[in-house]
Amino acid sequence: MKILVLGSGAGGGFPQWNCNCRQCAGQRVGEVPARARTQSSVAVSADGSAWVLLNASPDIGQQLREQAQLHPRHGLRDTPIKAVILMDAQIDHVTGLLGLREGPCIDIYATPCVFEDLTSAFPVISVLEHYCGTRWHMLGVAGSAHSATFTVEGFASLRFTAVAIPGKAPPYSPHRGEQTTGDNIALLIEDLDDGRRLFYSPGLASVGESELQWMNGADCLLVDGTFWAEDEMLQAGLGRKTASDMGHLPQMGDAARAGMVDVMRGSGARRKVLIHINNSNPILDETSAQRRVLDGHGIEVAYDGMEITL
Ligand code: MLT
Ligand code: MN
Ligand code: ZN
């Protein structure tokens, strides 16, 4: 299985267009050693020819232009992107669907909740019916069904499992205040030819027994790297929301709760990678003390263009 990181940043990307914080301003002038990052999306393939997008970022135009493996190959108009799987209905994960409107009808795999948000409060999918059109593939994660195994047409050697995880619906969603099963999913992808497994979860609010069980046995964890600390945005004067308010488990734990670093340290995965990194997170600075902590535990920080072969 091949995994191509198209965008490794959280909403806003890095540096964020309107942000003058130490990291964003420092990155612009070359004083903070950190790579620029577009908003969250990855592509997965069994053979490098056909690809599935996991989330469609508002930066999709730039991302596809920069990835030769995703350029058109045959005929006058073409794309190796055969489907899009959505982890949630957040702006940074779905707006890129609009950027695919010049292409063929889009095969979208998502939960009932996500289809509902994207045809009502934020009707991106309804709008697409006036352009390329969409084909819906409903993932059975709703109500008491907490996971669903499925296949994606054209990817016979990959087995996908959508898993309901703790998180937040988008701020615009009618269920922002009260999580509904299917608002947020993680994906477990298994390559049936060699048994290798990826666990992908760019937004994960907490890791309990059930999440640990799904992560267990994965060869690669590609998980929520949004915030280092629970109150990072407040400390930097950048906002009033905590990591928990936004549905993200910070990397650093406290007395009450293990952080993502603790979770990853305890995992037997060969590759442990953080993705969806917010512009406030000190791990963006390659010389930071926090980055050294990750290095010490063999935890990687995803970057745009990163390729992982399992
Ligand atoms: C989030 O995951 O909380 C988002 O990155 C927020 C956003 O897209 O504005
Ligand atoms: Mn996000
Ligand atoms: Zn900033």
Side-chain angles (χ1 to χ4, degrees), residues 49-209:
S49 65
W51 295 83
V52 188
L53 284 189
L54 311 184
N55 294 325
S57 158
D59 301 319
I60 195 164
Q62 179 187 345
Q63 293 172 346
L64 298 186
R65 244 172 254 121
E66 285 173 8
Q67 283 301 334
Q69 299 186 74
L70 301 180
H71 290 170
R73 293 172 205 171
H74 317 287
L76 199 52
R77 293 279 166 90
D78 176 53
T79 176
I81 296 168
K82 302 303 175 198
V84 183
I85 308 176
L86 301 175
M87 303 302 113
D88 54 48
Q90 293 270 6
I91 286 180
D92 58 340
H93 286 163
V94 306
T95 319
L97 288 170
L98 297 173
L100 295 174
R101 70 191 177 285
E102 297 89 356
C105 181
I106 310 171
D107 282 281
I108 303 176
Y109 292 73
T111 63
C113 271
V114 166
F115 277 118
E116 185 190 312
D117 279 345
L118 298 182
T119 49
S120 56
F122 184 36
V124 170
I125 291 179
S126 313
V127 168
L128 282 171
E129 299 316 319
H130 301 278
Y131 296 84
C132 56
T134 58
R135 262 187 301 271
W136 296 19
H137 303 263
M138 203 63 83
L139 304 180
V141 178
S144 58
H146 287 265
S147 67
T149 295
F150 63 102
T151 50
V152 176
E153 282 165 36
F155 297 81
S157 66
L158 298 179
R159 181 166 60 200
F160 297 80
T161 305
V163 180
I165 48 159
K168 288 265 182 171
Y172 70 78
S173 169
H175 13 107
R176 171 70 165 181
E178 193 185 350
Q179 201 190 1
T180 305
T181 305
D183 274 332
N184 294 270
I185 58 164
L187 268 189
L188 187 67
I189 308 177
E190 181 173 356
D191 187 327
L192 299 173
D193 288 338
D194 57 19
R196 298 271 159 82
R197 291 186 196 186
L198 166 72
F199 179 86
Y200 175 63
S201 185
L204 186 53
S206 62
V207 177
E209 273 312 309

Side-chain angles (χ1 to χ4, degrees), residues 294-307:
L294 298 184
D295 291 344
H297 296 307
I299 298 172
E300 303 170 71
V301 180
Y303 52 89
D304 294 15
M306 181 185 202
E307 270 191 64

Side-chain angles (χ1 to χ4, degrees), residues 10-12 39 90-93 176 202-203 226-227 246-248 276 278:
Q39 297 168 83
Q90 293 270 6
I91 286 180
D92 58 340
H93 286 163
R176 171 70 165 181
T226 314
F227 298 113
M246 295 177 71
H248 301 290
H276 188 276
N278 196 54

